[in-house]
Amino acid sequence: MDDKMMKIGEMARFNRVSITTLRLYDKVGILRPCYTDPETNYRYYSIHQKARLDMIQYMKELGMSLGEIREILEKGDIQMIESTLISKKKQAKEEMAQLKLRLGAISRAIESVERFRKAPDCGMITVEYISHRKVYVMHTDTNFYEHDISVYEEILEDLKENLINQGLPQVYYCNAGTIMRREDFLNLKMVSHEIFLFVDDDFPDHESVRRIDSAMYACIYLDSFDDEPEYAGRLLKYCEEHGYTVCGDYICEVLTEFNVFDSEKRSMFLRLQAPLRFR
């Protein structure tokens, strides 16, 4: 037997792979030992097989499966290598896009937790500058202010289904909100037929996507879905008492949800907002 032959353990250590990996490559037929002792069943590899092992490891790093590697090595077709690499490039781009969406969602979740920790107490009214936001809006025939939170849950499920049916990223399914027309808010007519999700600037262009311009907002915070009409009235009274002009639609934003603390109902921390123009 050639002096440059190595047992499977030596081959594994020499190439910094596991014995299990070499056995797997043997099983799937992409790197077989060049000699197997019939008496001991020991596997022996030639040092010259390192080049093929390096190629296999390189192809794995490019995202190829063992099945794809086996087919390429068996056929030795350079066009197949090129077409496989083109496919892997497309796949990598798609994965990068998904990771970018996930990173954005993680960042938004961190911001939500931070806002919750630092938010004013329930009932406190503030005037805040809020930068422009991008929202995905769905119209509903139901005015959920006429119903309890169970109907709101049904509308949220419709919103999720709407995203799925249109092939849009579900990672945005959080931080929902509702919109009430300015005239209805000024008359405290609790009517809303629009529910939305906050999305980022990379969200695909769509007819349901809308931009909310930056503005100074009168805001009030609360932690109960059922208390919104009362707190909306407090917010409007505050604007009137300070001579502020409400210049746009009222927004109810779910700043964050912590259902890990309560499995019986949706736990929401809300910020009611009215855009202002100062006289």
Side-chain angles (χ1 to χ4, degrees):
M1 193 162 43
D2 195 301
D3 291 338
K4 293 182 179 178
M5 298 285 280
M6 294 180 285
K7 291 181 180 180
I8 189 170
E10 295 172 314
M11 182 70 168
R13 287 192 298 274
F14 184 66
N15 292 280
R16 299 184 181 182
V17 297
S18 68
I19 293 175
T20 302
T21 296
L22 290 178
R23 286 176 175 160
L24 175 61
Y25 291 173
D26 181 13
K27 183 178 179 179
V28 300
I30 58 177
L31 183 67
R32 298 191 186 280
C34 62
Y35 173 75
T36 302
D37 190 312
E39 295 183 4
T40 63
N41 207 35
Y42 287 165
R43 295 174 171 90
Y44 291 90
Y45 293 84
S46 166
I47 193 171
H48 302 299
Q49 290 181 286
K50 183 181 187 306
R52 186 174 180 107
L53 180 55
D54 287 343
M55 177 57 68
I56 292 169
Q57 297 297 87
Y58 176 63
M59 294 167 92
K60 281 185 62 182
E61 289 296 318
L62 294 177
M64 296 185 192
S65 67
L66 293 183
E68 289 170 326
I69 293 172
R70 180 180 58 206
E71 186 176 9
I72 288 172
L73 293 177
E74 286 175 351
K75 294 187 176 180
D77 186 341
I78 194 68
Q79 281 191 317
M80 177 181 288
I81 296 176
E82 183 181 16
S83 62
T84 302
L85 289 174
I86 290 172
S87 174
K88 293 302 172 184
K89 181 178 180 180
K90 179 181 177 182
Q91 181 181 335
K93 286 183 176 180
E94 292 171 351
E95 290 172 355
M96 288 172 63
Q98 289 299 317
L99 286 173
K100 187 175 182 180
L101 288 174
R102 185 180 301 173
L103 179 61
I106 292 171
S107 298
R108 289 193 299 276
I110 291 172
E111 290 172 4
S112 293
V113 173
E114 186 177 16
R115 281 199 305 263
F116 176 77
R117 287 193 301 104
K118 297 181 178 180
D121 294 334
C122 290
M124 182 176 290
I125 298 177
T126 63
V127 176
E128 308 173 22
Y129 172 79
I130 302 178
S131 61
H132 78 274
R133 293 164 287 179
K134 196 174 180 181
V135 293
Y136 175 85
V137 183
M138 185 190 78
H139 177 84
T140 174
D141 292 332
T142 303
N143 174 23
F144 36 78
Y145 288 120
E146 296 177 347
H147 306 274
D148 61 19
I149 196 169
S150 62
V151 173
Y152 178 73
E153 293 286 355
E154 293 174 3
I155 295 172
L156 279 176
E157 187 58 32
D158 290 341
L159 180 59
K160 179 189 288 187
E161 185 176 357
N162 192 274
L163 283 175
I164 294 171
N165 290 340
Q166 298 190 53
L168 297 170
Q170 293 184 63
V171 72
Y172 291 103
Y173 186 72
C174 62
N175 297 103
T178 57
I179 298 173
M180 185 192 307
R181 295 302 170 204
R182 172 179 176 271
E183 294 76 15
D184 291 328
F185 172 63
L186 292 177
N187 293 295
L188 285 183
K189 183 181 177 183
M190 302 302 292
V191 176
S192 179
H193 292 282
E194 289 185 318
I195 188 167
F196 67 82
L197 297 171
F198 287 105
V199 298
D200 54 36
D201 290 336
D202 294 325
F203 190 84
D205 289 334
H206 192 275
E207 60 183 7
S208 299
V209 173
R210 188 183 305 172
R211 176 188 168 100
I212 300 176
D213 289 334
S214 59
M216 296 297 296
Y217 283 83
C219 304
I220 188 170
Y221 294 78
L222 65 153
D223 60 5
S224 172
F225 174 89
D226 296 326
D227 291 341
E228 185 183 347
E230 176 192 345
Y231 280 70
R234 293 191 198 179
L235 187 63
L236 178 60
K237 182 179 179 181
Y238 175 87
C239 294
E240 292 173 341
E241 289 177 346
H242 288 77
Y244 300 152
T245 299
V246 176
C247 61
D249 294 339
Y250 159 101
I251 295 171
C252 172
E253 173 188 1
V254 180
L255 279 177
T256 192
E257 299 182 18
F258 288 109
N259 294 341
V260 293
F261 302 140
D262 188 345
S263 62
E264 299 299 322
K265 64 179 180 179
R266 187 177 292 271
S267 301
M268 297 184 288
F269 189 64
L270 310 173
R271 178 170 62 175
L272 312 184
Q273 308 155 40
L276 303 177
R277 182 174 66 246
F278 301 98
R279 296 184 186 134

